Amino acid sequence: MHAIDNAPDTAGLVPLAAEIIQFIQETPSIFTLRLRFTDPAAHAAYRFAPGQFNMLYLPGVGEVPISIVSDPQDEHLYDHTIRAVGRVTHALANLREGSRIGVRGPFGRGWPLTEAQGRDVVIVTGGLGCAPVVSVINYILKRRAQFGHLTIMQGVRHADDLIWRERYEAWAELPDTQVLLAASDGSPIWPWHVGHVPDLFDQARLTPGVSLVMMCGPEGMMRAASGDLIARGIPERDLWMSMERNMHCGMGLCGHCQMGPKFVCQDGPVFNYPEIKALLARKGV
Amino acid sequence: MQRRFIPRQGLEPLIRQTLDAGYRLHAPQSTDGAILYRPIHHSGQLPWGLHDHQAPGHYRLLDNGSPRAFAWATGPQALKPLLFRPSEPIWTLDLDSDGRPSFIGAAHTEAPLALLGLRPCDLAALALQDAHFLHGPYPDPAYAARRRGLLTIAVNCSHPAATCFCAATGDGPNAQGGYDLLLDELDDGYLIESGSAVGKTLLDRLDTLPATDMQLEAMATQRASAVRAQQRKLPNAEQLARLPAQHDHPHWAEVAERCLACGNCTAVCPTCFCHAHRETPALDGQSSVHSREWDSCFTSGHSYLHGHVVHTTTRERYRQWLTHKLAGWVEQYGRSGCVGCGRCITWCPVGIDLTVESAALVDANPAQGE
């Protein structure tokens, strides 16, 4: 056995220890871990792009792939927002500030932020899967002059599922920014649309050739939204989406994340629509 | 390339020289009713006189009194479990008294491995496993460590089984490369040639004779007859490229009526690479071993995704396996993931035959027989 510090051939394969500097309870089942690698050199060297993910390891329990929501240039901490749904995420929910976990990553291909420069950006998310695009929203807002009009569209099943409500409200006040929210199941204090996200495309600023769309959420929602956007003249090459599969290794080796011939962990998780449209059209791929 | 001849008893010095060079030598041996690669110390351990009778869902070893050691086609496993272990640790976690974790990566310090008796289909599968484990963005250190010093002593396949179709996939029955030494087995001995500098060094240490014209002629005849002996074949590449578009073909449900989703096909396939990560914590909670073990796309856990399963039915799992093997690999690694070894046919408990099923799915006519 050898110490991993001097073993570059295990890069990505063996976790690095990280400490939870802040634990934020977003909703009863959703929480954010703000992390720092315990090795200052590793922390300083760590780089990621919005849309990439880490494998978070809870000692003795196991690993789970989680997207990174913080800004890539925030050298202080990096954040993971997690919903407790399975064995590992339920256990992660019990951690507190000062707890240490293992982190491998970052893995995969993130959002097309270079292609998006100078373009109008439309963010379309559904369900609770908005975490992968929050990093993009923050990225754009911090570099506002580099991008055109920003439209943020979020659909949730029930009004209570919306997290970061204050952030949406704050974003809606920003110049050149549009926030459109929908809940399939509204509530008495839900001021936005009751229905599905694609219902809101009529209100969104969509300009074929100018708008670049980034999507995240259930495959059915992205399939429907893509069809609708293409019908509205948005070129297929301007549609991008983050896919989810069962990553064990994150390195394109274990085979669990395959979607047709794509290794979602390495070829994605962010894909350009033409790359996966044939796969998206087939159920159970 | 200089082809030489060694008599039958010349295998003993070949084994001796390989062991003396520091290799862990594995060679085919009759084990629990099948031919498996096991550590070998002398040539008497080889499966002399044995023949394998294979058919869909059927494998039997018969002693046919042949003077040969390689008068059989394939066993259930060859090289895969030796390079890509069925189970192995990736890292070990230790918690100190304050609960702080440290991670130690697994070390790989075994002596170099040599295999005697590999088939051309095994060499083709090795090249495919190399493409997956070594040539991607994250080369696998465990596989790389075992692969680095690997010595391959291949034997051309003179007795293909009824389940074999390597001639159709272009991977056998005669090796085109990828070996250090290559043997053709004749009744009285072996024609031997080297395919690498390491192989040549080993060959130079053996007492060999020049190959006679008669031996070379016997070799050519045997090689040609091994090709002719194969009756199964896969649909061609152009036909297999249609497989992903057959996603809704009713034949998937028909296969699923017979398929047990047991995963035998993926376990015996020499190219299947899927593996799961597993956690084995110590009882005191102070340490844990994170390992990987072979997994199969026929399990529900393979496509588990936060609370649901992507491939819920046997139909979807068989479709995932066959479509990936015969079409997905082409995009991923430039060729089909099937090397024609026929193991998935032989070791399927209900005898499902991928040559027949793939032909039905792409509307091709398979050449098939027993």
Side-chain angles (χ1 to χ4, degrees):
Chain A
M1 307 296 256
H2 56 267
I4 56 150
D5 297 340
N6 303 314
D9 65 334
T10 59
L13 192 68
V14 176
L16 294 172
E19 182 174 341
I20 298 172
I21 303 301
Q22 197 181 355
F23 183 103
I24 305 165
Q25 196 73 49
E26 309 280 1
T27 75
S29 65
I30 299 172
F31 56 97
T32 296
L33 303 180
R34 309 203 71 203
L35 300 171
R36 182 194 290 144
F37 285 112
T38 55
D39 174 1
H43 194 81
Y46 184 78
R47 296 283 180 277
F48 72 92
Q52 287 191 302
F53 66 95
N54 279 327
M55 297 299 300
L56 301 190
Y57 169 72
L58 184 58
V61 179
E63 283 190 303
V64 66
I66 304 286
S67 61
I68 310 161
V69 298
S70 46
D71 192 274
Q73 284 174 11
D74 177 357
E75 71 273 25
H76 303 297
L77 299 174
Y78 51 98
D79 304 351
H80 291 281
T81 296
I82 304 165
R83 182 179 174 223
V85 286
R87 193 175 57 87
V88 178
T89 48
H90 271 118
L92 286 169
N94 295 326
L95 297 177
R96 287 296 169 256
E97 280 149 26
S99 299
R100 293 190 177 194
I101 64 173
V103 176
R104 295 192 293 122
F107 296 118
R109 181 175 66 169
W111 296 103
L113 292 166
T114 308
E115 291 90 329
Q117 294 220 344
R119 309 277 298 270
D120 286 357
V121 176
V122 181
I123 308 266
V124 181
T125 73
L128 287 156
C130 61
V133 293
V134 167
S135 59
V136 173
I137 296 170
N138 289 330
Y139 185 94
I140 291 171
L141 293 176
K142 281 196 180 169
R143 300 158 185 81
R144 199 64 195 87
Q146 295 175 25
F147 301 91
H149 187 264
L150 174 64
T151 304
I152 299 166
M153 306 178 71
Q154 161 87 46
V156 290
R157 208 167 295 144
H158 189 273
D160 293 346
D161 292 338
L162 184 71
I163 63 169
W164 300 325
R165 186 166 179 154
E166 311 73 34
R167 289 196 208 179
Y168 286 96
E169 287 166 349
W171 291 334
E173 300 301 317
L174 297 174
D176 221 13
T177 304
Q178 185 180 19
V179 173
L180 297 166
L181 303 178
S184 322
D185 192 358
S187 77
I189 54 155
W190 181 256
W192 298 289
H193 179 70
V194 175
H196 300 287
V197 159
D199 305 343
L200 299 167
F201 285 149
D202 279 339
Q203 298 174 45
R205 183 155 132 186
L206 293 167
T207 315
V210 176
S211 299
L212 186 141
V213 184
M214 303 184 196
M215 286 186 256
C216 181
E219 276 175 40
M221 181 281 282
M222 293 197 285
R223 195 181 298 126
S226 301
D228 202 322
L229 290 164
I230 290 163
R232 289 166 189 268
I234 304 292
E236 292 185 354
R237 66 171 183 277
D238 287 337
L239 301 178
W240 298 80
M241 51 195 66
S242 181
M243 305 304 297
E244 284 187 297
R245 280 296 181 271
N246 176 16
M247 287 90 150
H248 285 207
C249 74
M251 302 182 292
L253 293 173
C254 80
H256 286 85
C257 71
Q258 290 177 93
M259 184 182 178
K262 305 296 184 191
F263 290 100
V264 172
C265 74
Q266 284 295 318
D267 300 328
V270 174
F271 289 96
N272 194 204
Y273 180 77
E275 297 174 305
I276 53 162
K277 66 174 178 179
L279 300 170
L280 209 55
R282 297 177 192 135
K283 207 171 164 295
V285 173
Chain B
M1 173 176 57
Q2 265 190 325
R3 194 169 281 117
R4 307 286 297 178
F5 179 79
I6 53 174
R8 215 188 305 165
Q9 54 274 29
L11 285 184
E12 188 61 36
L14 174 60
I15 290 170
R16 179 62 37 218
Q17 289 290 348
T18 308
L19 290 171
D20 288 351
Y23 288 98
R24 292 179 295 132
L25 177 62
H26 287 234
Q29 293 164 60
S30 173
T31 308
D32 299 333
I35 288 176
L36 288 169
Y37 287 77
R38 292 282 183 262
I40 193 167
H41 308 289
H42 62 85
S43 60
Q45 294 171 277
L46 292 167
W48 294 101
L50 290 183
H51 175 68
D52 52 355
H53 183 254
Q54 300 193 46
H58 177 92
Y59 181 97
R60 292 288 182 280
L61 286 183
L62 309 167
D63 191 336
N64 66 359
S66 154
R68 298 180 177 222
F70 301 96
W72 46 273
T74 54
Q77 302 283 355
L79 194 46
K80 185 170 88 167
L82 296 171
L83 296 183
F84 166 39
R85 293 268 169 85
S87 176
E88 67 177 307
I90 304 173
W91 77 70
T92 302
L93 158 89
D94 278 304
L95 296 179
D96 68 12
S97 51
D98 294 325
R100 297 175 176 204
S102 58
F103 299 95
I104 312 289
H108 308 287
T109 53
E110 302 126 74
L113 179 68
L115 275 98
L116 164 64
L118 285 177
R119 298 309 196 181
C121 60
D122 298 324
L123 296 175
L126 173 64
L128 282 170
Q129 291 258 299
D130 284 354
H132 178 70
F133 284 107
L134 297 181
H135 302 148
Y138 290 90
D140 183 68
Y143 183 94
R146 296 177 197 127
R147 178 68 177 92
R148 214 169 284 133
L150 180 71
L151 179 81
T152 53
I153 307 172
V155 181
N156 276 334
C157 200
S158 55
H159 291 68
T163 43
C164 291
F165 53 99
C166 63
T169 63
D171 297 306
N174 302 300
Q176 304 299 315
Y179 50 81
D180 294 301
L181 285 174
L182 177 65
L183 279 65
D184 280 274
E185 186 177 46
L186 305 176
D187 278 347
D188 56 346
Y190 302 87
L191 291 168
I192 182 168
E193 65 182 90
S194 63
S196 70
V198 175
K200 185 170 186 311
T201 304
L202 191 54
L203 182 55
D204 287 346
R205 290 188 193 144
L206 301 174
D207 288 329
T208 60
L209 300 166
T212 66
D213 287 347
M214 198 182 286
Q215 287 162 344
L216 292 171
E217 197 177 312
M219 180 193 82
T221 305
Q222 179 168 288
R223 286 185 174 193
S225 87
V227 173
R228 279 197 310 275
Q230 297 193 17
Q231 297 146 330
R232 280 180 163 76
K233 65 173 191 179
L234 270 183
N236 64 35
E238 195 182 319
Q239 291 165 328
L240 290 176
R242 298 204 295 262
L243 207 47
Q246 306 307 313
H247 190 76
D248 298 317
H249 199 294
H251 192 71
W252 295 116
E254 200 279 312
V255 182
E257 290 286 316
R258 290 173 279 138
C259 176
L260 307 177
C262 68
N264 263 19
C265 49
T266 59
V268 297
C269 177
T271 68
C272 272
F273 52 70
C274 283
H275 54 275
H277 283 216
R278 298 268 182 260
E279 197 66 26
T280 313
L283 282 175
D284 67 0
Q286 291 305 296
S287 63
S288 190
V289 178
H290 189 88
S291 36
R292 69 176 179 196
E293 61 188 46
W294 288 4
D295 199 5
S296 170
C297 51
F298 285 90
T299 67
S300 59
H302 190 277
S303 65
Y304 172 86
L305 181 59
H306 53 62
H308 76 281
V309 171
V310 177
H311 304 137
T312 51
T313 62
T314 301
R315 170 178 158 273
E316 289 171 320
R317 293 177 199 168
Y318 187 82
R319 183 175 67 195
Q320 164 65 26
W321 179 67
L322 196 75
T323 307
H324 177 230
K325 185 65 62 186
L326 299 180
W329 275 79
V330 178
E331 180 171 328
Q332 291 173 339
Y333 300 107
R335 60 153 291 178
S336 146
C338 178
V339 296
C341 72
R343 287 185 176 94
C344 59
I345 304 172
T346 296
W347 297 95
C348 174
V350 294
I352 293 172
D353 181 340
L354 92 165
T355 66
V356 174
E357 311 307 345
S358 58
L361 286 154
V362 300
D363 303 319
N365 292 317
Q368 196 214 334
E370 280 295 312

